[in-house]
Amino acid sequence: MTEKKAMRDAYGEALIALGNSDADVVVLDADLSGSTRTAMFAKVFPNRFFNMGIAEQDMAGTAAGFSCVGKKPFMSSFAMFATGRAWEPIRNSICLPNLNVKVVCTHAGITVGEDGACHQALEDISIMRVIPHMSVYVPADYYEARALIIALNDKPGPVYVRLARAGSPVVFDENYQFNFAEYPVLQSGSDVSLFACGQMVPIAQKAAQTLQAAGISVDLININTIKPLHGDQILKSVIKTGAVVTAEEHSILGGMGSAVSELLAKNAPTPIEFVGTQDVFGESGDGDLLMVKYGLSEARIVEAAQKAIARKANRPS
Amino acid sequence: MSAGHSLQDVKEIGKRIRKKIIQQVTWAGCGHPGGSLSGTDILSTLYFRKMRFNAQDPQWADRDRFVLSKGHCTPLLYATLSEAGYFSDDLLTSFRKIDSKLQGHPEKDYLPGIEMSTGALGQGLAIGHGMALGLKLNNSPGRVFVMMGDGEIQEGMIWEAAMSAGHYKTDNLVGIIDANGQQIDGNVKDIMDVAPLADKWAAFGWHTQVIDGHDYEAIDAALDTAINVTGKPAIIICKTVKGKGVSFMEGVVKFHGTAPSVEQSEIALQEIEEKY
Ligand SMILES: Cc1ncc(C[n+]2csc(CCOP(=O)(O)OP(=O)(O)O)c2C)c(N)n1
């Protein structure tokens, strides 16, 4: 079995590294510092950590203020509460003035599990990517999360990073460097483009193997940056394969799949199948069971790939 | 109709609720025992001495409403609703499991007696205020009770609702703060102090009482006073102990959202049996 590591642990470790290398880094949390791992930073740099209490809107406004005076704030909570409760301050106080605030959230997606629907952010990619100036990143594993956070510190401007709670299979290794210009291609192929992000990446890798065994050649790309989308790279893959599957632990409305389809509709209309949650709320339960119940599975990706390829064949010439 | 039990009965019910809280989080392997146990004496008294409802007719228009604004305390809510006859105890074993009606945080109408979905903190007082204003428009005698955490009231929305209920003099609304002094990251006074609580609520136009939230007689009297206040909303600030009733959970922040082990659970049930 592949090693499992949690992205939020990578976040805590990266913050400590940044705390050491950059005296301007400050961290804010809203009473979830143990869960988000900002407590790791707080322990080492108590003077640069600010627990705002259970008050996400206040946290976003305060982070904006820090940025105005030259600090480099990272603000964290669960994806639901930071992007949801504080959406409007993030839009108007952080993104509108184009401030250097990193909104890094953990506990995104359905794998939050037992806490249930009110804690499972399945819309966060969507509501963050529609805000001008905002960039949106969804790392695939622990190593990518760590490399991303470190690299982001030198990239000014508002950013949303989506991390998961649970440990997930590692995709990369120690030496991984985050590339802001290009997506990692995990496997080259010619029959179907499979675009996955976050915890769906290791699942997509398995699906690609299964498809490969059935004679289907998969072009598997880790869409770690949802905004700005690396359009040229996506189009190159799609023009090669002529069929697309997107896979994300997020609603199929407005997320990564939507971003890809917006690009394709304009530049290269192509059969596309979306793997994600279907315009529904989640529920309580074991995270792995929920992934299967809500269609975030290897089997669903395989099905979707077959469907996309079949549609390619049926396309009127 | 469930109100009108003797205080002695209510204490017995409270004891069973405490046990059911421990059992639910143990079966689930997760959940929130600390704030459930701190609110047990308050909610037992409210449901079984004061609130007007009919478990056989859950949609009765003139019933009193209860909103658990600190929605993570589902073990307390589900135990209370099962004691009130809304559903059978068997269901409690499914707490937090896939396909269960007993979601980690309450979902409205998943089961009779759950008046509102909560879990994202800070929203319950505004919701309760809306219910109270609506009941007045309906000429209903129904009253609304909202339980909040003292950490939760750091949310700005709570103070917006405090302002509007004060403004509208919504006197069929009773707020209850389970002031156990702790939240997830530590003590409320260290994380983000909310004191002086009574002065703040009074300044927003609320009738204010501060009581011992584990003293059944005091809770009973304070609820009577709050219910009878006219011309303004009423708040009861209940001084409580997080994890109350289980020695190794009392005042221990970890048990905000951690289940006891099976062995700890046995000890907890034993302690509750002996103490109450
Ligand atoms: C909007 C929002 N932010 C954060 C959380 C995570 N959370 C759940 S419980 C809790 C602490 C609540 O403390 P308190 O209100 O004092 O409750 P109690 O001690 O009575 O359990 C937090 C921060 C949440 N559920 N909702």
Side-chain angles (χ1 to χ4, degrees):
Chain A
M1 242 196 87
T2 351
E3 186 193 6
K4 281 191 173 184
K5 281 168 93 76
M7 297 180 202
R8 56 179 171 150
D9 291 331
Y11 179 45
E13 289 163 23
L15 282 180
I16 292 177
L18 290 177
N20 279 316
S21 64
D22 187 341
D24 283 331
V25 168
V26 296
V27 177
L28 299 88
D29 205 297
D31 196 35
L32 288 168
S33 63
S35 301
T36 63
R37 301 294 191 253
T38 60
M40 293 165 67
F41 178 92
K43 217 170 145 197
V44 187
F45 306 103
N47 296 332
R48 288 194 270 149
F49 174 77
F50 301 86
N51 198 325
M52 304 310 295
I54 313 168
E56 297 78 12
Q57 302 172 78
D58 188 37
M59 172 168 68
T62 308
F66 269 123
S67 170
C68 288
V69 297
K71 295 291 159 201
K72 294 178 170 174
F74 285 75
M75 59 168 264
S76 296
S77 176
F78 290 176
M80 176 57 65
F81 308 128
T83 72
R85 183 69 54 92
W87 187 86
E88 198 264 2
I90 289 175
R91 179 192 186 276
N92 284 330
S93 300
I94 294 174
C95 292
L96 179 57
N98 204 9
L99 293 176
N100 185 23
V101 176
K102 309 298 182 233
V103 181
V104 183
C105 293
T106 64
H107 294 61
I110 201 143
T111 43
V112 162
E114 287 81 357
D115 273 339
C118 62
H119 279 54
Q120 293 161 348
L122 297 170
E123 312 86 357
D124 53 314
I125 295 176
S126 168
I127 61 177
M128 287 292 106
R129 82 179 179 92
V130 293
I131 309 177
H133 290 155
M134 187 61 126
S135 300
V136 177
Y137 298 92
V138 183
D141 76 348
Y142 167 90
Y143 293 110
E144 185 164 49
R146 201 174 64 181
L148 169 67
I149 298 295
I150 303 241
L152 277 175
N153 196 48
D154 298 323
K155 222 177 148 50
V159 163
Y160 173 56
V161 179
R162 176 189 222 234
L163 304 177
R165 174 187 76 107
S168 55
V170 298
V171 178
F172 301 107
D173 63 25
E174 271 305 320
N175 306 315
Y176 181 80
Q177 298 280 328
F178 198 88
N179 183 344
F180 286 109
E182 211 179 301
Y183 298 122
V185 177
L186 300 177
Q187 182 181 312
S188 288
S190 53
D191 294 330
V192 61
S193 297
L194 175 49
F195 300 143
C197 65
Q199 298 198 103
M200 291 309 288
V201 172
I203 296 172
Q205 284 181 305
K206 282 202 203 155
Q209 283 167 14
T210 305
L211 287 162
Q212 208 76 36
I216 295 171
S217 157
V218 179
D219 209 42
L220 174 57
I221 298 183
N222 169 25
I223 308 292
N224 56 21
T225 309
I226 290 164
K227 192 184 171 193
L229 214 55
H230 303 323
D232 291 348
Q233 190 184 359
I234 289 176
L235 288 173
K236 226 172 99 191
S237 167
V238 169
I239 288 164
K240 176 173 66 169
T241 61
V244 183
V245 173
T246 60
E248 60 197 311
E249 190 193 350
H250 185 276
S251 169
I252 58 166
L253 303 182
M256 183 268 282
S258 298
V260 168
S261 64
E262 288 158 14
L263 175 85
L264 297 185
K266 189 162 156 29
N267 298 285
T270 310
I272 179 166
E273 293 292 328
F274 305 97
V275 173
T277 57
Q278 311 289 314
D279 200 17
V280 290
F281 292 108
E283 64 179 287
S284 291
D286 172 80
D288 291 334
L289 296 179
L290 290 173
M291 286 288 270
V292 173
K293 176 164 178 181
Y294 285 81
L296 303 166
S297 60
E298 180 193 336
R300 214 36 95 73
I301 295 175
V302 168
E303 252 173 59
Q306 288 160 342
K307 216 162 150 190
I309 291 169
R311 284 174 56 199
K312 156 163 84 167
N314 296 340
R315 238 181 344 170
S317 49
Chain B
M1 301 288 266
S2 199
H5 287 259
S6 72
L7 268 182
Q8 196 47 48
D9 283 354
V10 171
K11 286 179 195 171
E12 277 303 314
I13 295 171
K15 175 177 182 170
R16 289 201 296 274
I17 289 177
R18 278 201 162 80
K19 289 185 179 172
K20 288 180 179 179
I21 289 168
I22 296 298
Q23 287 170 326
Q24 288 174 85
V25 294
T26 307
W27 289 325
C30 55
H32 298 80
S36 293
L37 291 167
S38 63
T40 298
D41 302 320
I42 304 162
L43 210 59
S44 316
T45 313
L46 178 63
Y47 264 84
F48 301 100
R49 293 273 293 169
K50 305 298 167 199
M51 268 178 58
R52 299 187 291 229
F53 61 90
N54 181 352
Q56 265 55 63
D57 182 12
Q59 295 303 323
W60 173 41
D62 287 337
R63 69 190 181 281
D64 291 340
R65 269 76 169 175
F66 173 71
V67 178
L68 182 67
S69 190
K70 49 172 209 153
H72 55 282
C73 296
T74 35
L76 168 59
L77 180 67
Y78 296 150
T80 305
L81 294 180
S82 74
E83 285 293 324
Y86 279 104
F87 50 81
S88 98
D89 287 0
D90 310 344
L91 276 185
L92 298 177
T93 57
S94 72
F95 177 52
R96 282 181 163 253
K97 305 238 166 80
I98 198 162
D99 296 328
S100 171
K101 301 252 179 244
L102 277 63
Q103 293 288 295
H105 294 77
E107 293 285 356
K108 182 179 181 346
D109 300 333
Y110 263 49
L111 284 169
I114 304 179
E115 297 282 359
M116 189 56 195
S117 304
T118 52
L121 294 170
Q123 305 191 0
L125 191 59
I127 294 161
H129 185 216
M131 290 176 173
L133 289 173
L135 288 169
K136 276 183 184 265
L137 285 180
N138 294 345
N139 292 317
S140 169
R143 304 157 303 189
V144 182
F145 301 89
V146 178
M147 182 185 270
M148 294 161 271
D150 55 350
E152 178 189 11
I153 63 174
Q154 292 157 349
E155 288 283 3
M157 251 183 98
I158 293 290
W159 299 99
E160 294 172 24
M163 197 173 343
S164 60
H167 176 82
Y168 284 104
K169 307 185 190 328
T170 313
D171 55 11
N172 56 343
L173 176 65
V174 175
I176 298 166
I177 298 180
D178 179 359
N180 58 37
Q182 294 183 314
Q183 53 189 111
I184 291 188
D185 278 349
N187 295 321
V188 173
K189 71 172 174 7
D190 302 325
I191 302 297
M192 186 57 59
D193 201 356
V194 294
L197 269 189
D199 291 352
K200 281 185 176 138
W201 289 89
F204 279 80
W206 289 60
H207 177 275
T208 304
Q209 302 177 76
V210 181
I211 63 161
D212 174 349
H214 299 302
D215 176 340
Y216 278 94
E217 282 78 11
I219 300 165
D220 193 66
L223 284 169
D224 279 340
T225 303
I227 287 166
N228 289 316
V229 167
T230 54
K232 47 165 79 173
I235 189 103
I236 309 174
I237 298 157
C238 303
K239 302 269 187 198
T240 57
V241 175
K242 207 153 175 172
K244 176 74 177 178
V246 177
S247 59
F248 60 87
M249 290 187 171
E250 288 189 3
V252 177
V253 167
K254 183 185 102 170
F255 283 108
H256 167 83
T258 308
S261 67
V262 174
E263 298 75 51
Q264 285 176 318
S265 170
E266 295 291 328
I267 299 169
L269 291 172
Q270 187 65 37
E271 278 191 19
I272 293 166
E273 179 55 37
E274 283 159 14
K275 235 181 269 178
Y276 290 92

mmCIF file of all heavy atoms in Angstrom, chain B residues 53-84:
data_model
loop_
_atom_site.group_PDB
_atom_site.id
_atom_site.type_symbol
_atom_site.label_atom_id
_atom_site.label_comp_id
_atom_site.label_asym_id
_atom_site.label_seq_id
_atom_site.Cartn_x
_atom_site.Cartn_y
_atom_site.Cartn_z
ATOM 1 N N PHE B 53 -44.630 21.176 23.842
ATOM 2 C CA PHE B 53 -44.514 20.482 22.557
ATOM 3 C C PHE B 53 -45.267 19.181 22.671
ATOM 4 O O PHE B 53 -45.657 18.757 23.768
ATOM 5 C CB PHE B 53 -43.039 20.227 22.201
ATOM 6 C CG PHE B 53 -42.308 19.361 23.195
ATOM 7 C CD1 PHE B 53 -42.275 17.980 23.040
ATOM 8 C CD2 PHE B 53 -41.649 19.924 24.287
ATOM 9 C CE1 PHE B 53 -41.596 17.174 23.951
ATOM 10 C CE2 PHE B 53 -40.977 19.120 25.209
ATOM 11 C CZ PHE B 53 -40.951 17.749 25.041
ATOM 12 N N ASN B 54 -45.462 18.525 21.548
ATOM 13 C CA ASN B 54 -46.139 17.236 21.542
ATOM 14 C C ASN B 54 -45.399 16.337 20.572
ATOM 15 O O ASN B 54 -45.461 16.537 19.358
ATOM 16 C CB ASN B 54 -47.601 17.431 21.110
ATOM 17 C CG ASN B 54 -48.362 16.116 21.121
ATOM 18 O OD1 ASN B 54 -47.783 15.044 21.296
ATOM 19 N ND2 ASN B 54 -49.675 16.201 20.922
ATOM 20 N N ALA B 55 -44.686 15.369 21.115
ATOM 21 C CA ALA B 55 -43.864 14.494 20.262
ATOM 22 C C ALA B 55 -44.736 13.706 19.287
ATOM 23 O O ALA B 55 -44.260 13.274 18.240
ATOM 24 C CB ALA B 55 -43.030 13.543 21.124
ATOM 25 N N GLN B 56 -46.022 13.535 19.642
ATOM 26 C CA GLN B 56 -46.940 12.815 18.736
ATOM 27 C C GLN B 56 -47.422 13.725 17.602
ATOM 28 O O GLN B 56 -47.955 13.257 16.615
ATOM 29 C CB GLN B 56 -48.158 12.282 19.518
ATOM 30 C CG GLN B 56 -48.012 10.838 19.985
ATOM 31 C CD GLN B 56 -46.756 10.637 20.808
ATOM 32 O OE1 GLN B 56 -46.608 11.212 21.869
ATOM 33 N NE2 GLN B 56 -45.830 9.817 20.308
ATOM 34 N N ASP B 57 -47.245 15.004 17.806
ATOM 35 C CA ASP B 57 -47.692 15.966 16.794
ATOM 36 C C ASP B 57 -46.575 17.008 16.618
ATOM 37 O O ASP B 57 -46.723 18.174 16.995
ATOM 38 C CB ASP B 57 -48.998 16.625 17.276
ATOM 39 C CG ASP B 57 -49.563 17.611 16.269
ATOM 40 O OD1 ASP B 57 -49.086 17.633 15.110
ATOM 41 O OD2 ASP B 57 -50.467 18.383 16.645
ATOM 42 N N PRO B 58 -45.469 16.574 16.036
ATOM 43 C CA PRO B 58 -44.273 17.423 16.028
ATOM 44 C C PRO B 58 -44.464 18.744 15.289
ATOM 45 O O PRO B 58 -43.741 19.701 15.551
ATOM 46 C CB PRO B 58 -43.217 16.574 15.307
ATOM 47 C CG PRO B 58 -43.781 15.224 15.123
ATOM 48 C CD PRO B 58 -45.256 15.266 15.391
ATOM 49 N N GLN B 59 -45.427 18.803 14.378
ATOM 50 C CA GLN B 59 -45.612 20.032 13.606
ATOM 51 C C GLN B 59 -46.673 20.961 14.206
ATOM 52 O O GLN B 59 -47.037 21.954 13.596
ATOM 53 C CB GLN B 59 -45.962 19.702 12.145
ATOM 54 C CG GLN B 59 -44.852 18.983 11.383
ATOM 55 C CD GLN B 59 -43.544 19.761 11.372
ATOM 56 O OE1 GLN B 59 -43.534 20.984 11.294
ATOM 57 N NE2 GLN B 59 -42.420 19.050 11.489
ATOM 58 N N TRP B 60 -47.177 20.620 15.381
ATOM 59 C CA TRP B 60 -48.156 21.464 16.083
ATOM 60 C C TRP B 60 -47.724 22.939 15.987
ATOM 61 O O TRP B 60 -46.640 23.309 16.435
ATOM 62 C CB TRP B 60 -48.248 20.995 17.538
ATOM 63 C CG TRP B 60 -49.076 21.861 18.432
ATOM 64 C CD1 TRP B 60 -50.262 22.448 18.127
ATOM 65 C CD2 TRP B 60 -48.757 22.241 19.782
ATOM 66 N NE1 TRP B 60 -50.724 23.166 19.206
ATOM 67 C CE2 TRP B 60 -49.821 23.063 20.234
ATOM 68 C CE3 TRP B 60 -47.708 21.971 20.652
ATOM 69 C CZ2 TRP B 60 -49.844 23.609 21.514
ATOM 70 C CZ3 TRP B 60 -47.725 22.509 21.924
ATOM 71 C CH2 TRP B 60 -48.787 23.330 22.347
ATOM 72 N N ALA B 61 -48.580 23.770 15.411
ATOM 73 C CA ALA B 61 -48.164 25.129 15.046
ATOM 74 C C ALA B 61 -47.773 25.989 16.247
ATOM 75 O O ALA B 61 -46.884 26.832 16.143
ATOM 76 C CB ALA B 61 -49.287 25.811 14.258
ATOM 77 N N ASP B 62 -48.412 25.766 17.378
ATOM 78 C CA ASP B 62 -48.175 26.644 18.521
ATOM 79 C C ASP B 62 -47.126 26.101 19.499
ATOM 80 O O ASP B 62 -46.992 26.606 20.619
ATOM 81 C CB ASP B 62 -49.487 26.914 19.265
ATOM 82 C CG ASP B 62 -50.390 27.854 18.469
ATOM 83 O OD1 ASP B 62 -49.844 28.597 17.621
ATOM 84 O OD2 ASP B 62 -51.616 27.833 18.685
ATOM 85 N N ARG B 63 -46.385 25.100 19.064
ATOM 86 C CA ARG B 63 -45.365 24.551 19.962
ATOM 87 C C ARG B 63 -44.267 25.585 20.212
ATOM 88 O O ARG B 63 -44.068 26.505 19.425
ATOM 89 C CB ARG B 63 -44.729 23.298 19.346
ATOM 90 C CG ARG B 63 -43.857 23.585 18.120
ATOM 91 C CD ARG B 63 -43.457 22.296 17.417
ATOM 92 N NE ARG B 63 -42.596 22.539 16.263
ATOM 93 C CZ ARG B 63 -43.007 22.936 15.073
ATOM 94 N NH1 ARG B 63 -44.297 23.188 14.859
ATOM 95 N NH2 ARG B 63 -42.156 23.111 14.087
ATOM 96 N N ASP B 64 -43.542 25.386 21.305
ATOM 97 C CA ASP B 64 -42.314 26.145 21.520
ATOM 98 C C ASP B 64 -41.223 25.540 20.644
ATOM 99 O O ASP B 64 -41.233 24.338 20.379
ATOM 100 C CB ASP B 64 -41.882 26.043 22.990
ATOM 101 C CG ASP B 64 -42.829 26.794 23.924
ATOM 102 O OD1 ASP B 64 -43.563 27.681 23.441
ATOM 103 O OD2 ASP B 64 -42.826 26.475 25.136
ATOM 104 N N ARG B 65 -40.305 26.387 20.214
ATOM 105 C CA ARG B 65 -39.192 25.907 19.383
ATOM 106 C C ARG B 65 -37.883 25.963 20.162
ATOM 107 O O ARG B 65 -37.659 26.917 20.916
ATOM 108 C CB ARG B 65 -39.027 26.786 18.141
ATOM 109 C CG ARG B 65 -39.793 26.365 16.916
ATOM 110 C CD ARG B 65 -41.243 26.687 17.025
ATOM 111 N NE ARG B 65 -41.964 26.535 15.761
ATOM 112 C CZ ARG B 65 -43.273 26.668 15.647
ATOM 113 N NH1 ARG B 65 -44.021 26.940 16.710
ATOM 114 N NH2 ARG B 65 -43.860 26.522 14.481
ATOM 115 N N PHE B 66 -37.038 24.972 19.901
ATOM 116 C CA PHE B 66 -35.683 25.008 20.442
ATOM 117 C C PHE B 66 -34.692 24.960 19.293
ATOM 118 O O PHE B 66 -34.783 24.101 18.417
ATOM 119 C CB PHE B 66 -35.421 23.822 21.388
ATOM 120 C CG PHE B 66 -33.979 23.756 21.832
ATOM 121 C CD1 PHE B 66 -33.470 24.692 22.726
ATOM 122 C CD2 PHE B 66 -33.129 22.780 21.333
ATOM 123 C CE1 PHE B 66 -32.126 24.651 23.109
ATOM 124 C CE2 PHE B 66 -31.788 22.736 21.721
ATOM 125 C CZ PHE B 66 -31.289 23.670 22.616
ATOM 126 N N VAL B 67 -33.744 25.893 19.296
ATOM 127 C CA VAL B 67 -32.687 25.904 18.285
ATOM 128 C C VAL B 67 -31.349 25.679 18.983
ATOM 129 O O VAL B 67 -30.958 26.448 19.859
ATOM 130 C CB VAL B 67 -32.647 27.246 17.517
ATOM 131 C CG1 VAL B 67 -31.499 27.254 16.504
ATOM 132 C CG2 VAL B 67 -33.982 27.504 16.826
ATOM 133 N N LEU B 68 -30.672 24.610 18.585
ATOM 134 C CA LEU B 68 -29.340 24.329 19.125
ATOM 135 C C LEU B 68 -28.324 25.055 18.248
ATOM 136 O O LEU B 68 -27.811 24.504 17.284
ATOM 137 C CB LEU B 68 -29.062 22.825 19.129
ATOM 138 C CG LEU B 68 -27.717 22.395 19.725
ATOM 139 C CD1 LEU B 68 -27.653 22.671 21.220
ATOM 140 C CD2 LEU B 68 -27.439 20.926 19.442
ATOM 141 N N SER B 69 -28.057 26.303 18.618
ATOM 142 C CA SER B 69 -27.146 27.095 17.783
ATOM 143 C C SER B 69 -25.747 26.496 17.801
ATOM 144 O O SER B 69 -25.044 26.507 16.798
ATOM 145 C CB SER B 69 -27.122 28.543 18.277
ATOM 146 O OG SER B 69 -26.433 29.362 17.356
ATOM 147 N N LYS B 70 -25.338 25.956 18.950
ATOM 148 C CA LYS B 70 -24.034 25.259 18.986
ATOM 149 C C LYS B 70 -24.282 23.824 18.528
ATOM 150 O O LYS B 70 -24.340 22.880 19.317
ATOM 151 C CB LYS B 70 -23.369 25.363 20.357
ATOM 152 C CG LYS B 70 -24.202 25.036 21.579
ATOM 153 C CD LYS B 70 -23.278 25.011 22.798
ATOM 154 C CE LYS B 70 -23.782 24.071 23.871
ATOM 155 N NZ LYS B 70 -22.745 23.537 24.717
ATOM 156 N N GLY B 71 -24.429 23.707 17.214
ATOM 157 C CA GLY B 71 -24.958 22.484 16.612
ATOM 158 C C GLY B 71 -24.087 21.250 16.778
ATOM 159 O O GLY B 71 -24.554 20.131 16.560
ATOM 160 N N HIS B 72 -22.834 21.446 17.165
ATOM 161 C CA HIS B 72 -21.981 20.263 17.367
ATOM 162 C C HIS B 72 -22.451 19.414 18.542
ATOM 163 O O HIS B 72 -22.054 18.264 18.654
ATOM 164 C CB HIS B 72 -20.516 20.674 17.548
ATOM 165 C CG HIS B 72 -20.289 21.678 18.643
ATOM 166 N ND1 HIS B 72 -20.556 23.024 18.475
ATOM 167 C CD2 HIS B 72 -19.833 21.542 19.911
ATOM 168 C CE1 HIS B 72 -20.269 23.661 19.618
ATOM 169 N NE2 HIS B 72 -19.833 22.782 20.484
ATOM 170 N N CYS B 73 -23.301 19.971 19.402
ATOM 171 C CA CYS B 73 -23.736 19.212 20.578
ATOM 172 C C CYS B 73 -24.936 18.326 20.271
ATOM 173 O O CYS B 73 -25.893 18.218 21.052
ATOM 174 C CB CYS B 73 -23.978 20.154 21.750
ATOM 175 S SG CYS B 73 -22.438 20.963 22.251
ATOM 176 N N THR B 74 -24.890 17.665 19.129
ATOM 177 C CA THR B 74 -25.933 16.722 18.744
ATOM 178 C C THR B 74 -26.129 15.586 19.746
ATOM 179 O O THR B 74 -27.264 15.142 19.922
ATOM 180 C CB THR B 74 -25.656 16.124 17.356
ATOM 181 O OG1 THR B 74 -24.251 15.979 17.198
ATOM 182 C CG2 THR B 74 -26.232 16.975 16.252
ATOM 183 N N PRO B 75 -25.068 15.075 20.391
ATOM 184 C CA PRO B 75 -25.332 13.985 21.348
ATOM 185 C C PRO B 75 -26.344 14.412 22.407
ATOM 186 O O PRO B 75 -27.216 13.628 22.804
ATOM 187 C CB PRO B 75 -23.955 13.719 21.961
ATOM 188 C CG PRO B 75 -22.978 14.169 20.928
ATOM 189 C CD PRO B 75 -23.635 15.351 20.254
ATOM 190 N N LEU B 76 -26.249 15.663 22.846
ATOM 191 C CA LEU B 76 -27.200 16.194 23.824
ATOM 192 C C LEU B 76 -28.587 16.330 23.205
ATOM 193 O O LEU B 76 -29.595 15.918 23.794
ATOM 194 C CB LEU B 76 -26.703 17.560 24.327
ATOM 195 C CG LEU B 76 -27.694 18.389 25.146
ATOM 196 C CD1 LEU B 76 -28.149 17.649 26.397
ATOM 197 C CD2 LEU B 76 -27.070 19.738 25.533
ATOM 198 N N LEU B 77 -28.656 16.874 21.999
ATOM 199 C CA LEU B 77 -29.961 17.088 21.363
ATOM 200 C C LEU B 77 -30.656 15.747 21.103
ATOM 201 O O LEU B 77 -31.837 15.575 21.424
ATOM 202 C CB LEU B 77 -29.781 17.844 20.043
ATOM 203 C CG LEU B 77 -31.088 18.120 19.288
ATOM 204 C CD1 LEU B 77 -31.970 19.101 20.058
ATOM 205 C CD2 LEU B 77 -30.811 18.659 17.884
ATOM 206 N N TYR B 78 -29.922 14.800 20.527
ATOM 207 C CA TYR B 78 -30.543 13.516 20.186
ATOM 208 C C TYR B 78 -30.975 12.756 21.444
ATOM 209 O O TYR B 78 -32.043 12.147 21.474
ATOM 210 C CB TYR B 78 -29.586 12.658 19.356
ATOM 211 C CG TYR B 78 -29.232 13.263 18.000
ATOM 212 C CD1 TYR B 78 -27.995 13.011 17.400
ATOM 213 C CD2 TYR B 78 -30.133 14.071 17.309
ATOM 214 C CE1 TYR B 78 -27.663 13.554 16.158
ATOM 215 C CE2 TYR B 78 -29.810 14.620 16.071
ATOM 216 C CZ TYR B 78 -28.576 14.365 15.495
ATOM 217 O OH TYR B 78 -28.250 14.899 14.283
ATOM 218 N N ALA B 79 -30.144 12.821 22.488
ATOM 219 C CA ALA B 79 -30.513 12.151 23.738
ATOM 220 C C ALA B 79 -31.794 12.783 24.297
ATOM 221 O O ALA B 79 -32.709 12.084 24.748
ATOM 222 C CB ALA B 79 -29.373 12.255 24.749
ATOM 223 N N THR B 80 -31.862 14.107 24.230
ATOM 224 C CA THR B 80 -33.029 14.811 24.766
ATOM 225 C C THR B 80 -34.281 14.486 23.959
ATOM 226 O O THR B 80 -35.347 14.201 24.524
ATOM 227 C CB THR B 80 -32.773 16.339 24.762
ATOM 228 O OG1 THR B 80 -31.567 16.595 25.477
ATOM 229 C CG2 THR B 80 -33.920 17.090 25.408
ATOM 230 N N LEU B 81 -34.162 14.504 22.639
ATOM 231 C CA LEU B 81 -35.331 14.212 21.796
ATOM 232 C C LEU B 81 -35.792 12.767 21.982
ATOM 233 O O LEU B 81 -36.992 12.482 21.941
ATOM 234 C CB LEU B 81 -35.010 14.484 20.321
ATOM 235 C CG LEU B 81 -34.741 15.958 19.953
ATOM 236 C CD1 LEU B 81 -34.425 16.090 18.466
ATOM 237 C CD2 LEU B 81 -35.925 16.856 20.316
ATOM 238 N N SER B 82 -34.840 11.863 22.202
ATOM 239 C CA SER B 82 -35.254 10.471 22.426
ATOM 240 C C SER B 82 -35.989 10.361 23.757
ATOM 241 O O SER B 82 -36.999 9.670 23.863
ATOM 242 C CB SER B 82 -34.053 9.518 22.365
ATOM 243 O OG SER B 82 -33.253 9.623 23.530
ATOM 244 N N GLU B 83 -35.510 11.087 24.774
ATOM 245 C CA GLU B 83 -36.207 11.085 26.068
ATOM 246 C C GLU B 83 -37.587 11.723 25.940
ATOM 247 O O GLU B 83 -38.520 11.349 26.639
ATOM 248 C CB GLU B 83 -35.394 11.864 27.113
ATOM 249 C CG GLU B 83 -34.183 11.126 27.641
ATOM 250 C CD GLU B 83 -34.548 9.893 28.464
ATOM 251 O OE1 GLU B 83 -35.566 9.930 29.188
ATOM 252 O OE2 GLU B 83 -33.823 8.886 28.351
ATOM 253 N N ALA B 84 -37.705 12.693 25.035
ATOM 254 C CA ALA B 84 -38.982 13.394 24.862
ATOM 255 C C ALA B 84 -39.967 12.567 24.036
ATOM 256 O O ALA B 84 -41.109 12.984 23.851
ATOM 257 C CB ALA B 84 -38.748 14.745 24.194
#
